[in-house]
Amino acid sequence: MGKLPAVSPKSAKPNQSPAQRALARLGLVRDIDLALHLPLRYEDETRITPIRNAREGEVAQIEGTVLDCSVQLRPRRQLVVVLDDGTGRCELRFFSFYPSQQKTMAVGERLRARGEVRGGFWGRQMLHPAFRKAEGPLPAALTPVYPSTAQLPQAYLRRAVAMALTRVRLDETLAPEWPVPPLAVHGQNGHLHIWSLREALLFLHHPAPDVALATLEDHSHPAWQRLKAEELLAQQLSQCRSRAERARLRAPVLAPGDGAGSLHAGLMAALPFALTGAQQRVGREIAHDLARPQPMHRLLQGDVGAGKTVVAALAAARAMDAGWQCALMAPTEILASQHFAKLVQWLQPLLQARGQCVAWLVGGQKKKERATALEAIAQGAAALVVGTHAVIQQQVRFARLGLAVIDEQHRFGVAQRLALRQKTAGGEMEPHLLMMTATPIPRTLAMSYYADLDVSTLDELPPGRTPVVTRLIADSRRDEVIARLAQQVARGRQAYWVCPLIEESEALDLTNATATHAELAEALPGASVGLLHSRMPAGEKQAVMEGFKAGRTAVLVSTTVIEVGVDVPNASLMVIDHAERFGLSQLHQLRGRVGRGAAASACVLLYARGESGHLAQAARERLKAMLQTHDGFEIARRDLDIRGPGEFLGARQSGDAMLRFADLAQDGALLDWARAVAPQMLARYPALAQAHIERWLGGRAEFLKA
Ligand code: ADP
Ligand code: MG
C-alpha cells in the first residue's frame, strides 16, 4: 500500500495553519502579493545606544550583560532584569512572562533590548521591551513593521515577505518612453536616479537607516512614488480595458426623430417647466450615446433637486420612440413609486394612444398584479417598467429592452448592474445603461475609479429655488426648535424630523423615533404627525408617504434617511436630530429635501455633545461644512477629505479598483500620468499591459472570492 499522493496546494487548504489562513484573508496569496504588502512603519535596530546616552522618552536599542534576573512580588508580580553595558545600567520589567524567557535572560547572558527608556527614581527602565540574545551582526537596514492581524505574528509575516522577495519576479512592465514624472530624483551625489520596481520594493521593505523617515511616512520618497505610479497605472489599464471591451459590444441604435407625434415631443410639451441649460446639455449627451451601436455606460450626477428624473424620462421616451423598452430601477419602493407616479402622469396618456403602458414591479406585489406586469413586459406592451430590485429578477423577461436606468446607482451592487445589462435586447446586444447619483463624485475619483464610465453633470439647479437657511443648534435648545416647528405648522407648512439610525441596535433606533414621534405629537396638538420607519411594511410606508405628500400630515418623523428621497415642495423645515451622527453627504441629501418650493426654508442641525462633553473632530468638520456651503460638489470634496474614497464607491469598493497606496488628494500628477499612459500602453504593448494588470490586481479576484 502506497502513501496517499501528495496534496496540491489548493486541496491543502483545510490543513493551513491559522497564520496561513490569516495571510490568505489579507489577500497575501501570491509572492507578488506579499512583495506588495508594504510596511506601515519601521523600527531601527541597526544601532546600539550606550545605556549612559539613552535619554528618557526615547526608543532605544541597548546591549549588555544580565547582572540580575529575579521575580519581585511587590507592588505586583513582575520579572525584573538588570542589564549592564559598562556605561550604565537599565532595568527591564515584565508583568507577564514565561519560564523560557527567564532562561533567555539568565544572569550572565548578553541581551539586546529595544523599548522606550524611562527615567524615574530607580534609574533607567524599560517596560516590556522587545529583547533577544545578542548574537550576530546588527541588521544593516531598518526593520519593517507590516499591517497585520491578531492571528498573524509580525515575525511570521516578516519571514513570509522576505522569502517572497527572494522568489518573486519583478520584471519591468513600464516602457522607458513613459517615465513616471517625479521619479527622476537625484541620488546621493546629484546623479539622476530612476527607481526600478525591484529597487523600489526592496528599498521599501528594508530601507537604509540613513533615509529621511518622514519621506517614507508621507509616501513622498521616490520609491513610494514609483509604487503609487504603478498602482494607478494598473487601475487605469484595467478600466481602459473594460471600456475597450465594451466598445466591442453591440446595442440597439436608438435614434428616433423627436418630431411631432413622438413621445419625446409629447413629453416636452407636457412638462410644466422649461428644461435648464444643464438638462438640455445632458439630454444631448445621452441622445448622442443612444444613437450609437455600442452600449452607453453613462453616469448622470447632479445635486439633490437638480432634476435628474426628467432627464431620465426623456431618455426613456427616446428608447420607446425607437420601438424599444426602457426599465427604471430605484433602490427603495418609495423612491420607485415616486418615479412611477411621475412617469405615469407624464407618459401614460401618450402611451395609451399607442396601446402601450407603464408597468410596476416590486417585491411584495400581489401575485395576479405581478403576473399581469410580467406578461405585459414579455409581450412588449409595457414600454416602460418601473420598480425596485424586482426588475432584475430571473423571471422578468423583456421583449426588447433598449435602455436601463438605475437611480441612486451606488446603492446597487456590481452584480445587480450586470444582471440588468444581461436582460438583453435580444440577440447579441446589450441595453444602454444610464446610472444616476445625487452624490456628486469628486473629479479625481471620477477620473480614477470611474474612468470606465462617461460622466454627465447637472451643474445647475432649476430656477426659483429659495436658498435653505442652515442652523446649528445644541440639543439643550430642543424646546425652542419644537416651538419654531409649531409656528411653521400653524402657517400651513410641513416639516421633516429625521432621527438617526443607530447601527448597533435597530430596536433602539425604533424606540428613539417612536419617542420623538410621541413627543412631537404632544407638543403639536391639532397637527397630524406621521412616523416612517425602516422596518415598517412597504404598504404602510406608502400610506404614510402619501399622507405627507397630500399635505394631510404636517410633520413626518423618520429614521430612514434614504426613503426621504422624496419630493414634497410644501415642506420647508428639515430638523435633523443628532446631526453629529450623520455622514456629510447624508446631511446634504437631507437638506436638499427642503427649499423645493417658493417658501423660505430652513434646515436645523440639532447636535448633542458626547459623554466627554465634546464633539468628535470629524463630526465638527461635517457640521461646519454644512454651515459653510450648499454646493454639492464642495460637500463631496470635503466628504472625501474626511472619510476617504470608500464611501463614494459603494459596491464598487469591493471591486478591483481600490487604491492601497496612492492618495488621490496628493497624487494628482501621478494620476494624470497614468491616465495618459494607459491607453497608449494598451495599444502598443498589450502583453506588458496584461502582465501589469495581473501583477497588481490578479490577486484581488482570489481575495474577493475568499
Ligand atoms: P433629483 O435630481 O434630485 O432626482 P428631481 O428629478 O426629483 O431631482 O427634481 C426635483 C424637482 O424639480 C421636481 O419637482 C421636478 O419636477 C422639478 N424640476 C425638474 N426640472 C425642472 C426645471 N427645469 N424647472 C423647474 N422644475 C424642475
Ligand atoms: Mg431623484
Side-chain angles (χ1 to χ4, degrees):
M1 275 233 151
K3 280 196 189 156
L4 287 172
V7 277
S8 74
K10 276 228 165 74
S11 55
K13 276 194 177 146
N15 301 330
Q16 279 178 331
S17 70
Q20 280 168 322
R21 276 200 298 277
L23 276 182
R25 265 200 305 279
L26 286 176
L28 305 178
V29 180
R30 309 170 303 166
D31 284 341
I32 184 68
D33 302 329
L34 283 156
L36 293 176
H37 191 64
L38 292 179
L40 272 181
R41 56 183 180 85
Y42 304 90
E43 283 172 357
D44 188 351
E45 298 176 333
T46 64
R47 283 175 299 163
I48 299 288
T49 307
I51 291 178
R52 188 183 49 208
N53 298 351
R55 274 192 309 251
E56 175 164 11
E58 183 181 73
V59 174
Q61 179 169 244
I62 56 178
E63 179 174 321
T65 308
V66 177
L67 282 191
D68 185 34
C69 174
S70 54
V71 176
Q72 288 181 5
L73 294 174
R74 248 164 277 243
R76 56 189 270 211
R77 190 177 134 83
Q78 53 186 288
L79 179 68
V80 181
V81 175
V82 179
L83 217 57
D84 185 313
D85 72 350
T87 73
R89 289 181 187 177
C90 184
E91 270 180 7
L92 317 179
R93 290 181 180 262
F94 302 86
F95 296 108
S96 61
F97 49 92
Y98 303 106
S100 64
Q101 295 176 318
Q102 275 171 277
K103 220 170 114 199
T104 311
M105 295 188 282
V107 173
E109 295 288 351
R110 270 193 84 71
L111 288 187
R112 269 175 214 156
R114 187 172 178 285
E116 190 185 324
V117 181
R118 304 200 174 193
F121 187 67
W122 304 107
R124 288 192 182 81
Q125 295 186 349
M126 288 183 181
L127 296 186
H128 281 263
F131 65 89
R132 65 170 72 149
K133 276 197 179 158
E135 293 169 333
L138 290 168
L142 300 181
T143 308
V145 179
Y146 294 106
S148 188
T149 58
Q151 299 80 22
L152 192 57
Q154 267 308 312
Y156 183 94
L157 185 51
R158 274 183 197 143
R159 268 198 311 277
V161 172
M163 262 149 63
L165 280 174
T166 62
R167 287 188 303 245
V168 70
R169 298 193 50 170
L170 293 171
D171 306 337
E172 284 294 307
T173 44
L174 300 196
E177 57 258 56
W178 302 304
V180 183
L183 274 190
V185 174
H186 28 271
Q188 244 86 33
N189 17 8
H191 283 207
L192 204 65
H193 182 73
I194 312 255
W195 289 73
S196 68
L197 176 65
R198 163 174 296 280
E199 272 177 305
L201 273 180
L202 292 180
F203 179 82
L204 290 177
H205 284 286
H206 298 287
D210 63 352
V211 68
L213 269 178
T215 64
L216 295 184
E217 269 152 28
D218 70 6
H219 293 191
S220 65
H221 191 280
W224 266 115
Q225 298 282 329
R226 168 75 210 228
L227 276 174
K228 293 194 286 191
E230 291 241 338
E231 175 179 48
L232 286 164
L233 182 61
Q235 185 197 45
Q236 292 298 318
L237 283 173
S238 118
Q239 305 222 5
C240 260
R241 197 174 55 176
S242 46
R243 194 184 264 275
E245 276 163 12
R246 208 170 64 243
R248 283 197 291 274
L249 298 173
R250 288 285 160 265
V253 172
L254 308 177
D258 39 16
S262 70
L263 282 171
H264 193 272
L267 178 52
M268 287 295 282
L271 288 179
F273 46 72
L275 295 184
T276 63
Q279 284 170 322
Q280 292 176 26
R281 173 175 45 78
V282 169
R284 282 194 299 272
E285 288 166 2
I286 293 171
H288 175 80
D289 284 359
L290 294 180
R292 288 164 30 95
Q294 283 87 37
M296 168 171 80
H297 215 72
R298 188 170 283 278
L299 179 69
L300 168 55
Q301 54 175 350
D303 212 342
V304 239
K308 295 183 287 294
T309 318
V310 185
V311 173
L314 287 167
R318 271 186 204 286
M320 295 185 282
D321 279 330
W324 293 78
Q325 288 169 296
C326 172
L328 193 156
M329 191 161 85
T332 68
E333 196 165 329
I334 286 188
L335 271 182
S337 77
Q338 187 177 288
H339 286 316
F340 182 69
K342 235 177 208 159
L343 292 168
V344 164
Q345 180 200 333
W346 286 338
L347 290 168
Q348 184 83 320
L350 305 168
L351 283 173
Q352 237 154 19
R354 314 170 161 206
Q356 291 182 309
C357 64
V358 185
W360 171 242
L361 215 52
V362 290
Q365 231 164 352
K366 294 219 178 65
K367 264 215 173 112
K368 194 152 154 249
E369 198 186 331
R370 186 178 172 79
T372 315
L374 288 180
E375 172 75 14
I377 296 167
Q379 299 296 324
L384 179 59
V385 183
V386 182
T388 56
H389 296 77
V391 172
I392 46 171
Q393 271 153 16
Q394 195 105 62
Q395 313 90 300
V396 187
R397 302 228 178 281
F398 288 85
R400 280 161 70 78
L401 181 60
L403 169 67
V405 181
I406 305 183
D407 197 12
E408 300 300 338
Q409 63 90 25
H410 59 282
R411 306 202 55 213
F412 289 95
V414 178
Q416 289 161 326
R417 280 196 292 256
L418 274 179
L420 196 47
R421 281 170 55 190
Q422 279 150 12
K423 296 270 169 203
T424 324
E428 295 297 286
M429 290 199 281
E430 276 205 6
H432 297 278
L433 188 56
L434 177 65
M435 293 164 271
M436 307 201 286
T437 179
T439 306
I441 295 162
R443 198 172 141 271
T444 44
L445 275 193
M447 288 193 319
S448 57
Y449 290 95
Y450 288 87
D452 61 331
L453 300 186
D454 296 304
V455 178
S456 289
T457 306
L458 285 180
D459 50 6
E460 182 186 351
L461 289 180
R465 299 274 163 86
T466 47
V468 180
V469 177
T470 305
R471 291 259 181 278
L472 190 56
I473 300 182
D475 194 45
S476 53
R477 292 170 56 200
R478 195 180 173 89
D479 289 349
E480 288 170 44
V481 174
I482 295 179
R484 165 135 183 215
L485 176 68
Q487 256 176 25
Q488 290 285 310
V489 169
R491 288 196 200 128
R493 308 242 68 99
Q494 291 172 278
Y496 298 95
W497 187 295
V498 181
C499 308
L501 270 169
I502 299 169
E503 273 170 31
E504 313 86 72
S505 158
E506 265 198 61
L508 197 60
D509 104 58
L510 178 56
T511 330
N512 253 346
T514 316
T516 305
H517 177 248
E519 178 190 7
L520 294 182
E522 198 189 319
L524 307 168
S528 152
V529 181
L531 174 64
L532 189 70
H533 186 269
S534 52
R535 291 199 297 179
M536 276 161 63
E540 243 176 81
K541 280 187 194 167
Q542 194 75 31
V544 172
M545 250 350 280
E546 265 156 28
F548 190 62
K549 255 194 133 150
R552 292 191 299 273
T553 308
V555 181
L556 183 63
V557 177
S558 159
T559 57
T560 44
V561 174
I562 302 302
E563 316 242 56
V564 193
V566 291
D567 189 31
V568 182
N570 191 45
S572 57
L573 178 63
M574 164 69 64
V575 181
I576 306 178
D577 213 343
H578 281 291
E580 77 281 358
R581 296 191 191 158
F582 287 86
L584 185 49
S585 298
Q586 279 181 324
L587 291 172
H588 178 68
Q589 295 278 315
L590 286 171
R591 179 169 60 185
R593 299 298 142 207
V594 293
R596 300 188 156 215
S601 298
C603 173
V604 174
L605 305 172
L606 263 180
Y607 70 95
R609 296 198 168 87
E611 283 173 12
S612 61
H614 292 291
L615 275 181
Q617 172 72 17
R620 245 200 332 262
E621 277 174 34
R622 292 195 294 265
L623 297 177
K624 196 166 96 193
M626 284 294 288
L627 289 183
Q628 288 175 341
T629 179
H630 279 254
D631 175 353
F633 276 90
E634 176 61 16
I635 293 265
R637 204 188 53 68
R638 295 201 194 188
D639 208 14
L640 179 64
D641 284 347
I642 299 173
R643 295 193 294 185
E647 301 287 337
F648 287 89
L649 303 172
R652 201 161 259 243
Q653 186 174 8
S654 58
D656 61 5
M658 262 325 256
L659 294 171
R660 286 182 284 169
F661 304 138
D663 173 353
L664 294 175
Q666 277 168 23
D667 299 324
L670 293 178
L671 176 60
D672 289 343
W673 169 84
R675 277 166 55 82
V677 169
Q680 304 180 52
M681 183 163 164
L682 273 174
R684 302 248 300 269
Y685 305 105
L688 280 182
Q690 174 58 33
H692 191 85
I693 294 174
E694 186 55 33
R695 171 179 287 168
W696 277 89
L697 304 173
R700 294 299 179 94
E702 275 294 309
F703 175 31
L704 290 173
K705 274 184 241 139

